[in-house]
Amino acid sequence: MNTAPMGQAQIKQAMRLEAKARRCALSPEAIEEKSRTIADRLLALADGAGTVMVYVSKPPEVETAGLIDALLSAGKRVVVPIIEKERRTLRLSYLTDRSVLVESTFHVPEPIGSEVPASPDDLDLIVVPVVGFDRTGSRIGYGAGYYDRFLSRAPDVPVVGAAFSCQEVPSVPCEAFDRRMDLVVTEEEVIACSC
């Protein structure tokens, strides 16, 4: 889905590598501590939402295990993505217990064998992983476009990025197919994104 001119694609890839390097430089202890703060902020934002889609983290992403448990304890319905590698998009499953998660595509924990299908129409809030971000809500992901394709099917659902503050970049090149985030939550602040 990458239709960006080579210059923009190269800029975005350089930003992706820099942001990933800064994130990888965080110690496991720092990731755990910062993730707890981010999870607390996300939980507060989800207060009015009945159904929340949350990515299931893998190191060194912002950890979401605690957030998922807290959402379930608060009586929220939790939906998690399952990677469809062939179609390069995501399908959705309800999750009621993290114990059913198994390492799957790209080492991402997924409820393979325990799926309970969900629809984008069910969602009140979407929490997405972030490699890099800017204050307009432009997001750098891993580069394959899975979330871009999925988010086009949920155009009216608020999108919140979970990121460490060190992942911020000055300005992400934005293509027509890119969906901007409404908010970015870091350990330092909640950023209300504005174009």
Side-chain angles (χ1 to χ4, degrees), residues 10-105:
Q10 289 172 334
I11 291 167
K12 209 167 185 177
Q13 178 62 6
M15 287 180 171
R16 179 179 292 112
L17 293 173
E18 288 170 17
K20 283 174 85 171
R22 288 194 300 270
R23 183 178 67 178
C24 284
L26 295 172
S27 69
E29 295 77 21
I31 288 174
E32 185 179 338
E33 180 184 336
K34 292 172 190 293
S35 293
R36 267 197 307 272
T37 302
I38 293 167
D40 289 344
R41 290 190 167 136
L42 288 168
L43 188 61
L45 286 172
D47 186 47
T51 304
V52 182
M53 176 181 162
V54 183
Y55 71 95
V56 182
S57 59
K58 63 177 185 177
E61 295 173 333
V62 172
E63 295 171 358
T64 58
L67 173 63
I68 290 169
D69 290 344
L71 288 167
L72 291 170
S73 294
K76 308 292 185 187
R77 291 178 299 171
V78 174
V79 171
V80 297
I82 297 171
I83 296 166
E84 291 192 335
K85 198 170 181 181
E86 304 76 27
R87 293 176 49 214
R88 295 180 69 137
T89 189
L90 305 173
R91 71 178 185 270
L92 305 181
S93 174
Y94 284 101
L95 181 73
T96 57
D97 184 344
R98 284 191 304 108
S99 69
V100 303
L101 297 170
V102 294
E103 188 175 308
S104 186
T105 310

Side-chain angles (χ1 to χ4, degrees), residues 179-194:
R179 167 86 181 271
R180 291 182 192 267
M181 298 173 289
D182 298 286
L183 299 169
V184 178
V185 177
T186 75
E187 76 279 10
E188 293 182 357
E189 61 186 320
V190 176
I191 301 166
C193 303
S194 59

Side-chain angles (χ1 to χ4, degrees), residues 113-135:
S114 300
E115 291 181 48
V116 180
S119 163
D121 297 333
D122 301 337
L123 306 175
D124 298 312
L125 185 69
I126 299 171
V127 179
V128 298
V130 174
V131 172
F133 70 92
D134 67 21
R135 290 189 173 249

